[in-house]
Amino acid sequence: MYTVQDVSFPSGTETLSGQLMVPMGDGPHVAVAVIGPVAFVKEQSPLQYATRLARHGIAALIFDPSFHGASSGEPRRFESGQAKIADLSAALDFLARRPSIDASRLGLLGICQGANWAIETAVQDDRVTSLGLVAGHYLTPQTALAYLGDDATLAARNVRSQAAQDSYDKDGEVAYVPISGGKEALLTAPPVHAWYAPWDDRAPWFAHRGQWENRIPAMCEAGIWGWRIDQTFTNLKTPLAMVHADMAASGPAIPRQLFESAPAADKSLHWIEKANQLQFYEDPRVIDQAIATLAAHFSAIR
């Protein structure tokens, strides 16, 4: 039903490693670049969505972002919103050059924290003709407090992040924090660590899981919690399909508020009852429901 092509393409000075899923049959095809959760690799949730989109006749590009997985960039695991926005524009460049792809029908799909970078790119790059958002971990002040608990904890994280940045600027030393597992991690919830921990296993029989590592530089954290996607939403005019649930990241209220603030004339909000965040990553029943909405949305690009 589709072919899988190992690809690489430039993003600034870096080289990104990816896979392109191309539906069988005559093109050119609608194409979607997929970006996943914080510090993701392409073999995680992006793969789940891309293969399903391809089965629905939509070409899908997944890739390791700069500094992550099989892509180049130092320091390793550097988490930068600006870099991911640049990576998405580079992905659009790549897709637009492929003869099997319709360069006038390009979309973006953001999953979890990737929703933020897909939104920013859609606002900045007019080649994006359709936008899908799934279980967005929308970066707003309210979200930061919901995850970290109070202003004092948020302030302490910012102090730690700035100290790590100062050390890196001074002598190039990179201080890392875990993505999950323990109170010092970026994400402290035990269920999050229970899901992520197996991805850090480097055993050869788990090679299909990619090169995920349970760490990011501490200097990145202030940029994550301080991002204001709520300010960008008010400029979002790209046709939009948002999929969420009460127990997904950001909770039920913030996504609804953001959705209402978007001036897009063509927008729809789809709620999957009783689904939680981790089901949006790997539960085929939940992903298939999301894909039913997303495939119809992306296929309608004209």
Side-chain angles (χ1 to χ4, degrees):
M1 299 175 64
Y2 62 89
T3 62
V4 181
Q5 303 170 12
D6 292 326
V7 301
S8 63
F9 55 94
S11 178
T13 60
E14 308 304 340
T15 299
L16 306 189
S17 175
Q19 290 188 328
L20 178 62
M21 320 293 174
V22 181
M24 303 296 288
D26 295 334
H29 301 284
V30 176
V32 174
V34 185
I35 187 163
V38 63
F40 77 97
V41 292
K42 62 185 179 296
E43 290 83 3
Q44 293 176 321
S45 56
L47 180 64
Q48 299 296 328
Y49 285 81
T51 52
R52 287 170 169 83
L53 286 172
R55 293 188 191 109
H56 282 79
I58 298 167
L61 173 65
I62 60 175
F63 58 91
D64 291 332
S66 297
F67 315 108
H68 298 274
S71 295
S72 69
E74 295 288 342
R76 298 308 297 167
R77 300 292 277 165
F78 187 70
E79 189 68 16
S80 164
Q82 292 294 353
K84 289 187 173 179
I85 295 165
D87 289 347
L88 282 173
S89 283
L92 295 172
D93 292 340
F94 170 80
L95 288 170
R97 293 192 298 266
R98 306 287 291 196
S100 61
I101 301 303
D102 185 344
S104 69
R105 304 174 73 195
L106 301 178
L108 297 179
L109 171 59
I111 304 162
C112 188
Q113 199 172 111
N116 300 276
W117 322 130
I119 294 162
E120 297 283 2
T121 307
V123 169
Q124 296 176 28
D125 195 324
D126 60 11
R127 293 176 298 174
V128 182
T129 56
S130 192
L131 176 64
L133 307 173
V134 172
H137 177 201
Y138 298 107
L139 296 176
T140 71
Q142 298 94 326
T143 304
L145 288 177
Y147 272 75
L148 298 178
D150 53 52
D151 288 322
T153 302
L154 177 58
R157 293 293 184 108
N158 288 335
V159 168
R160 180 176 75 175
S161 184
Q162 186 58 56
Q165 182 69 62
D166 293 343
S167 177
Y168 180 74
D169 292 342
K170 179 181 178 182
D171 56 23
E173 178 183 352
V174 183
Y176 285 91
V177 296
I179 294 168
S180 67
K183 64 180 182 179
E184 299 302 316
L186 175 72
L187 305 173
T188 59
V192 173
H193 184 60
W195 188 83
Y196 271 115
W199 285 91
D200 207 24
D201 193 330
R202 299 271 77 83
W205 45 87
F206 289 142
H208 62 281
R209 289 179 174 169
Q211 300 178 31
W212 189 84
E213 303 171 58
N214 188 19
R215 61 174 186 157
I216 62 166
M219 60 183 165
C220 301
E221 191 166 11
I224 293 172
W225 298 121
W227 201 276
R228 293 295 303 271
I229 200 61
D230 51 318
Q231 295 175 347
T232 306
F233 248 101
T234 59
N235 296 313
L236 181 59
K237 298 179 181 179
T238 308
L240 167 66
M242 181 188 286
V243 180
H244 209 79
D246 284 355
M247 293 184 290
S250 309
I254 292 171
R256 286 191 170 101
Q257 293 165 0
L258 294 173
F259 176 81
E260 292 301 324
S261 74
D266 178 2
K267 63 179 183 178
S268 57
L269 177 61
H270 305 267
W271 221 255
I272 298 182
E273 298 297 334
K274 299 181 180 180
N276 65 56
Q277 187 70 11
L278 300 180
Q279 287 180 287
F280 282 105
Y281 294 174
E282 70 174 10
D283 187 337
R285 299 163 299 178
V286 171
I287 296 173
D288 285 348
Q289 289 183 66
I291 285 292
T293 292
L294 295 167
H297 174 68
F298 289 127
S299 296
I301 299 174
R302 293 290 182 266

